[in-house]
Amino acid sequence: MTIKPIHSKEWISVKKADSKLAHSLFDFRKTNDLFKQILFALNNDNPNEQITALRFIRDDSFKDLELEILTPVLINIAVNKNTDNSIFARECLVSSAFNHDHIIREKLTSMFDDLLESTDQYIYKRLAELLFFLNYKDLRKRLMEKCKNSKNKDIVNIYTEFTKKYDF
């Protein structure tokens, strides 16, 4: 005797929506302007659109040329004040789909001085987290020196926090 599964109407509704989403994602991946659409969503100030694009980036692989275009945008999002999207962008940068470390290092190094010009403690904190996860010790050291010598006590606190918490 087999028991017939009993599912709530909410469960059935979720399963149907999940199936529709999977089909939509499959169809979207086949479009000619997928990369342009993702780039547009990332550059949009709408956090919901950004997070949708970040999911695509995290789950898909891209060509080197596309990664060269995406990487600076992802770095900017990763050091942004929006913590949810920052975390997601950081995950994209360190994910297996983004296994092109030379591109990330090159782009981050070229952006680094501009990021250090900021006086925003949140940018410094997100940058420190990103550098920790990417394991870029030389850039971490430069950032920590800048934090340690800052006149802003909140930025000095980042130095104190990160040197205690992590191997900086």
Side-chain angles (χ1 to χ4, degrees):
M1 180 174 149
T2 58
I3 299 173
K4 183 179 177 184
I6 301 172
H7 297 291
S8 68
K9 64 182 179 184
E10 293 81 9
W11 174 255
I12 294 168
S13 177
V14 166
K15 292 298 290 174
K16 285 180 184 177
D18 185 51
S19 178
K20 283 179 81 171
L21 176 62
H23 284 78
S24 295
L25 291 173
F26 178 79
D27 291 341
F28 182 56
R29 282 185 175 95
K30 294 190 313 184
T31 62
N32 291 334
D33 64 347
L34 171 71
F35 184 73
K36 287 181 185 177
Q37 293 282 337
I38 288 173
L39 198 55
F40 179 77
L42 287 175
N43 287 308
N44 189 332
D45 287 334
N46 182 332
N48 292 329
E49 292 220 7
Q50 280 184 350
I51 202 77
T52 301
L54 290 169
R55 283 189 189 107
F56 268 95
I57 293 168
R58 182 196 61 192
D59 297 338
D60 285 0
S61 59
F62 293 88
K63 299 174 189 136
D64 281 1
L65 182 59
E66 293 170 331
L67 292 175
E68 292 211 18
I69 295 167
L70 285 173
T71 299
V73 177
L74 290 175
I75 291 169
N76 282 328
I77 295 170
V79 298
N80 192 321
K81 290 182 184 177
N82 183 327
T83 308
D84 293 339
N85 288 2
S86 295
I87 292 168
F88 228 109
R90 185 177 66 217
E91 286 178 13
C92 290
L93 288 166
V94 298
S95 74
S96 60
F98 246 86
N99 60 2
H100 295 77
D101 185 63
H102 64 284
I103 294 172
I104 297 167
R105 178 174 272 289
E106 175 189 314
K107 297 297 180 182
L108 184 54
T109 301
S110 70
M111 298 170 68
F112 196 71
D113 289 334
D114 289 336
L115 292 169
L116 288 183
E117 290 298 316
S118 171
T119 57
D120 188 328
Q121 71 184 20
Y122 296 105
I123 288 177
Y124 277 64
K125 188 169 184 166
R126 301 291 170 256
L127 182 57
E129 292 167 347
L130 178 61
L131 293 172
F132 174 77
F133 286 104
L134 290 172
N135 199 26
Y136 294 168
K137 292 182 181 181
D138 56 326
L139 296 178
R140 285 193 323 222
K141 183 178 178 183
R142 283 182 54 199
L143 175 62
M144 288 300 111
E145 284 298 316
K146 177 85 173 182
C147 290
K148 181 171 91 174
N149 298 323
S150 177
K151 291 178 176 28
N152 180 333
K153 73 174 187 131
D154 293 326
I155 292 177
V156 173
N157 286 340
I158 293 169
Y159 167 79
T160 306
E161 174 187 343
F162 276 83
T163 53
K164 285 181 183 176
K165 191 174 181 180
Y166 302 110
D167 178 27
F168 273 87

